[in-house]
Amino acid sequence: MCSALCLIMALQNKRFVFVVLFILLFVNFIAWAAVYDLSRPKFLEVIFFDVGQGDGALIKTAEGHYILVDGGESSKMLEKLLAEIPFWKREIDLVILSHPHYDHFGGLIDIIERYQVKNILWNGVAEDSLAFERWQESVSKSDANIIISLAGQKIKGENFFIDILYPFINLEGIEFKDANLSSIYLRLVFQKTSFLFTGDGYKSNENELVQKEIFCQENNHYLCRVMFLDSDVLKVGHHGSKTSTSEEFVSAVLPEIAVISAGKNNRYGHPHKETLDLLERYDINILRTDLNGDIKIISDGKSLIFSTD
Ligand SMILES: [Zn+2]
């Protein structure tokens, strides 16, 4: 009888030792992870994924936030995120949809269902398609905080901020003949470096922004606090189509790098020669997902380096 009792006590002791060892190891792991995090240099990364014909970018902030701007139309974006976001992190802080066209939101539907998305920012524009109904359904099923875009909004982190530059009015529920015109323009700023995202906006949208900036130089309108177009990186509008990227806009933004997100041999002929010629004339580095694959741009707050596949 004693031997049976001793055996039970020995087993219980062993289990206790294992539990204590596990807790100590876990605490040790957390402590080292915190030390590693504190000593890690602070960089901001923007990856423009090759999602075929469409747009899809991931912003990794220096504080460890994950922000998406569009998601392409297929599962490519989700596959790339699985490789970029650690497997234990199931959260995305913010998903931004520039406008409700399939080549921008299609890939976001599965991402919203798979990840815990904290915030979704989009323009609320109505579209009449089955795919768009799926987008709306996944947004309404998610627990995310929904924000309808409006120029003047500011999203602030510890080391970065995002200014919403366009649209100038709330477009919720409005149906557009061409939703490209409703595209959100936003400027991401990390210390001294900046990125301008343009969705599929046209030259007419760009002209409104340029005019607003000129107006702001002379007036003190509330939008003028955020109305700066000058940026180091320009995500070129509408996949490099000649319908976007006017000379006035390029000379207002004056980027060092222009990123064009377009599918290899796409049926629209994007990017168009007119756009490429203009960017070359301004001596801007052109990076293209159709030629370069995924494009990663890293900022240390002062300067940028980029790498491609
Ligand atoms: Zn598009």
Side-chain angles (χ1 to χ4, degrees):
M1 186 172 163
C2 172
S3 63
L5 188 63
C6 293
L7 187 63
I8 290 166
M9 283 177 69
L11 280 173
Q12 278 178 341
N13 277 344
K14 225 177 189 179
R15 192 179 294 166
F16 177 73
V17 170
F18 273 128
V19 169
V20 169
L21 265 177
F22 178 78
I23 290 170
L24 284 174
L25 273 172
F26 184 70
V27 170
N28 193 34
F29 172 77
I30 297 288
W32 277 109
V35 168
Y36 170 75
D37 196 53
L38 284 173
S39 61
R40 199 161 51 99
K42 301 292 183 195
F43 295 113
L44 176 134
E45 283 182 27
V46 181
I47 307 170
F48 297 90
F49 290 122
D50 172 18
V51 291
Q53 182 65 9
D55 274 11
L58 166 67
I59 300 163
K60 292 190 203 175
T61 74
E63 303 102 305
H65 292 123
Y66 291 90
I67 299 169
L68 306 185
V69 184
D70 293 333
E73 65 176 19
S74 67
S75 58
K76 272 189 184 177
M77 180 91 167
L78 176 60
E79 287 158 22
K80 287 166 190 282
L81 285 186
L82 292 172
E84 286 295 333
I85 300 179
F87 71 90
W88 65 84
K89 182 146 172 92
R90 308 311 311 161
E91 285 178 356
I92 293 175
D93 299 279
L94 172 63
V95 167
I96 299 172
L97 171 64
S98 65
H99 65 295
H101 274 170
Y102 194 59
D103 59 326
H104 296 253
F105 74 73
L108 290 177
I109 294 171
D110 285 344
I111 292 170
I112 290 172
E113 283 165 14
R114 181 138 185 173
Y115 284 89
Q116 183 77 36
V117 174
K118 292 187 190 164
N119 299 283
I120 297 172
L121 185 145
W122 72 301
N123 61 19
V125 162
E127 271 281 298
D128 186 16
S129 73
L130 278 175
F132 179 71
E133 280 176 28
R134 276 203 62 212
W135 157 259
Q136 280 194 307
E137 202 180 293
S138 68
V139 169
S140 61
K141 272 190 196 158
S142 84
D143 297 327
N145 174 39
I146 312 296
I147 308 155
I148 299 298
S149 58
L150 186 63
Q153 288 165 333
K154 196 181 218 36
I155 297 145
K156 279 186 84 168
E158 255 176 70
N159 290 309
F160 77 96
F161 60 85
I162 294 172
D163 281 331
I164 304 300
L165 307 183
Y166 194 88
F168 296 147
I169 57 166
N170 186 323
L171 302 176
E172 190 170 13
I174 297 174
E175 200 166 336
F176 277 70
K177 240 187 189 162
D178 182 348
N180 287 344
L181 287 162
S182 69
S183 290
I184 294 174
Y185 284 67
L186 63 92
R187 188 165 174 267
L188 163 69
V189 180
F190 175 55
Q191 296 170 12
K192 290 192 163 76
T193 57
S194 48
F195 299 71
L196 188 64
F197 291 79
T198 58
D200 281 357
Y202 289 142
K203 285 179 179 170
S204 60
N205 302 101
E206 295 170 359
N207 186 43
E208 283 184 65
L209 282 158
V210 172
Q211 292 309 315
K212 181 65 81 180
E213 192 181 47
I214 292 168
F215 171 83
C216 283
Q217 284 162 357
E218 295 155 11
N219 296 279
N220 196 24
H221 190 267
Y222 77 98
L223 281 182
C224 298
R225 288 193 305 260
V226 301
M227 188 43 70
F228 300 104
L229 295 175
D230 170 62
S231 300
D232 301 306
V233 178
L234 169 67
K235 198 295 293 175
V236 174
H238 198 200
H239 319 291
S241 163
K242 61 186 174 189
T243 55
S244 309
T245 319
S246 68
E247 181 153 8
E248 292 72 21
F249 189 63
V250 170
S251 63
V253 179
L254 274 186
E256 181 188 320
I257 298 170
V259 175
I260 297 174
S261 187
K264 210 177 193 125
N265 303 321
N266 65 79
R267 62 195 165 113
Y268 309 101
H270 293 156
H272 289 148
K273 189 177 178 304
E274 291 86 336
T275 308
L276 296 173
D277 287 348
L278 175 67
L279 295 170
E280 273 166 21
R281 230 174 33 244
Y282 275 76
D283 213 15
I284 296 162
N285 284 312
I286 302 170
L287 299 173
R288 297 168 51 173
T289 58
D290 59 332
L291 300 182
N292 304 115
D294 295 342
I295 297 160
K296 184 184 282 194
I297 302 179
I298 302 175
S299 165
D300 64 359
K302 295 184 200 117
S303 56
L304 303 170
I305 52 166
F306 66 83
S307 62
T308 55
D309 277 354

